[in-house]
Amino acid sequence: MAIEIRVPSVGESISEVFIGEWYVKEGEWVDVDQNLVGLETDKATFDVPSPEAGVIGSVKIEAGSTAEIGDVIATLNPGPNPNGDSSGERSTSKAESATASKGSASQQSAQSATTGGHVMPSAARVAAESHVDPKSVSGTGPGGRVLKEDVLNHVGGADGGSGREERRVPMSPMRQTIARRLVSAQKDAALLTTFNECDMSAIKELRAEYQDQFVKKYDIKLGFMSFFVKAVIGALNEFPAIGAQVEGTDLVYRNYCDVGVAIGAGKGLIVPVIRNAERLSFAEVELTIADFAKRARDNKITLEELEGGTFTITNGGVYGSLLSTPIVNPPQSGVLGMHGIFDRPVALNGEVVIRPMMYIALTYDHRVVDGREAVSFLVRIKEAIEDPTRLLLEV
């Protein structure tokens, strides 16, 4: 008997989802827990896994359409792999198998590309047949997955193609929400940005000295973000207005630090929240962020993890940013922007020396935060980063 694949409940406030991409086709055999389709809401992207191994019977709602919670979007006929493959890996249709078997080199290349986790099988096959490295193709699927269409577009561009082409794609619910919230933040808040810079020498030396011991004990590298999270917590304790929020005609202050960390998730930027960050050690902060990043790539961040937050940190430096003005995540009143670390000449003790420098930026809501508090807050961040001993002594 066929199993109905339905849109799962993804949150109390969510009644409708957007069908982002089908990873499988009708007649294709899938393994248990293999992701079938990517669903998008206004806050996050989720994958729907197969409840059992079997063959996809029919796809009821195509990609690009909307569906309500509980709607049947596909059917699955449970059973063993008809091709006799017991390895649990996805098999291809007979036609695709025949095509793939024409050249062992192409087949090996496709398999190698598929194991990367971000290249869809059909895209890997087209890439192999076209002698294109799939890693050089920009993916437009959920989580940055490379689709067959991406490879075809890439090949067409490489071959010259027809040149002046246009492609109209509906904005996903997440992208629509990002656009709406950014415009709202600019319109409803009195945003202002102040800047400073940090000499990263002390932290780099500290990481170099203790990195091996840290990895050995906690099985994770000591990064820069945990230092900034700790610095933010200390500065928020000293200047609580930065973490306050406007509710009507009231200002709400909190005695805890729920720090949001911006993470690129393919379809857009998401900000999962580190709850009670003030209670966590450096290792616990690093482990939490690493877990967020991994699950963001796999579309497994829950809506609850994206809600709330008293302050946000975003790191444009991972993309090579030198300087930017981050935008506040409403209803928060402040966001810290980290940037790239670049060697620059600076004046130190009357001499010009080369130091690894990072520009930092604080965007704040001037309705809540005065300029003196904002500038002083950023100075505290700078002092803690340049002398990380202050983080341990909490001074």
Side-chain angles (χ1 to χ4, degrees):
M1 181 178 295
I3 297 175
E4 293 180 334
I5 307 298
R6 296 178 178 270
V7 177
S9 176
V10 293
E12 293 182 2
S13 62
I14 305 299
S15 61
E16 189 178 69
V17 300
F18 179 83
I19 309 296
E21 179 196 356
W22 281 100
Y23 309 140
V24 296
K25 299 178 181 178
E26 293 182 354
E28 184 174 348
W29 185 85
V30 296
D31 195 8
V32 63
D33 291 331
Q34 179 178 324
N35 290 330
L36 305 178
V37 62
L39 304 180
E40 300 180 24
T41 72
D42 60 347
K43 295 181 179 179
T45 301
F46 304 89
D47 286 336
V48 176
S50 176
E52 295 185 28
V55 175
I56 298 297
S58 62
V59 173
K60 302 291 187 182
I61 303 181
E62 297 295 333
S65 304
T66 58
E68 295 184 357
I69 302 300
D71 281 355
V72 177
I73 54 177
T75 60
L76 174 72
N77 299 314
N81 189 336
N83 292 339
D85 183 1
S86 60
S87 64
E89 297 180 353
R90 181 184 306 180
S91 65
T92 59
S93 66
K94 293 182 179 180
E96 291 172 330
S97 297
T99 301
S101 63
K102 288 182 179 180
S104 59
S106 296
Q107 184 181 32
Q108 291 173 357
S109 177
Q111 290 174 345
S112 174
T114 303
T115 58
H118 298 287
V119 182
M120 302 307 293
S122 57
R125 285 190 291 274
V126 172
E129 293 167 359
S130 304
H131 305 289
V132 171
D133 182 359
K135 295 181 179 179
S136 66
V137 180
S138 298
T140 61
R145 292 179 176 86
V146 177
L147 312 179
K148 177 180 178 181
E149 293 77 9
D150 296 329
V151 179
L152 291 174
N153 290 336
H154 180 85
V155 173
D159 292 341
S162 59
R164 299 167 55 83
E165 297 181 359
E166 293 184 359
R167 185 163 62 104
R168 187 180 297 272
V169 179
M171 292 176 68
S172 69
M174 181 186 292
R175 178 51 58 184
Q176 293 180 45
T177 298
I178 291 173
R180 185 169 59 251
R181 287 175 65 85
L182 292 179
V183 172
S184 174
Q186 294 280 25
K187 182 181 69 173
D188 298 334
L191 300 184
L192 191 64
T193 304
T194 183
F195 302 92
N196 214 312
E197 61 180 352
C198 295
D199 184 343
M200 302 295 289
S201 300
I203 286 183
K204 293 188 70 173
E205 292 171 1
L206 187 64
R207 291 175 68 243
E209 183 176 356
Y210 293 102
Q211 188 70 274
D212 291 342
Q213 298 176 49
F214 192 88
V215 172
K216 184 177 181 180
K217 183 173 182 178
Y218 300 109
D219 197 29
I220 191 170
K221 287 187 175 182
L222 177 60
F224 294 108
M225 183 60 78
S226 55
F227 287 93
F228 279 91
V229 170
K230 289 292 186 179
V232 161
I233 292 169
L236 286 173
N237 288 333
E238 188 170 352
F239 303 97
I242 309 294
Q245 297 178 6
V246 175
E247 289 189 7
T249 57
D250 296 330
L251 286 179
V252 180
Y253 292 83
R254 297 175 173 85
N255 67 347
Y256 55 85
C257 297
D258 287 351
V259 180
V261 179
I263 296 175
K267 285 290 183 178
L269 199 69
I270 62 173
V271 188
V273 178
I274 306 174
R275 308 290 178 187
N276 295 115
E278 75 279 1
R279 302 178 184 177
L280 303 182
S281 66
F282 279 80
E284 289 170 329
V285 170
E286 293 289 355
L287 288 167
T288 301
I289 295 173
D291 177 62
F292 282 156
K294 180 180 184 302
R295 289 191 291 118
R297 291 192 297 268
D298 297 335
N299 297 326
K300 293 182 179 179
I301 295 289
T302 66
L303 289 177
E304 290 75 13
E305 292 172 311
L306 300 174
E307 296 175 347
T310 59
F311 188 86
T312 293
I313 302 176
T314 180
N315 184 10
V318 297
Y319 305 110
S321 171
L322 174 65
L323 185 64
S324 66
T325 55
I327 190 165
V328 166
N329 183 22
Q332 296 174 21
S333 299
V335 56
L336 176 71
M338 300 166 54
H339 299 90
I341 302 173
F342 300 98
D343 287 343
R344 296 202 306 270
V346 296
L348 183 65
N349 298 325
E351 296 181 353
V352 176
V353 295
I354 305 298
R355 288 288 188 270
M357 304 298 293
M358 174 194 287
Y359 287 120
I360 54 176
L362 173 71
T363 297
Y364 59 98
D365 188 344
H366 214 335
R367 297 177 303 166
V368 182
V369 183
D370 292 332
R372 178 186 61 82
E373 294 173 302
V375 172
S376 299
F377 177 92
L378 204 57
V379 168
R380 290 294 179 270
I381 300 290
K382 170 185 173 66
E383 292 174 345
I385 295 301
E386 294 187 339
D387 184 7
T389 304
R390 300 173 66 104
L391 299 176
L392 302 178
L393 300 178
E394 298 181 353
V395 295

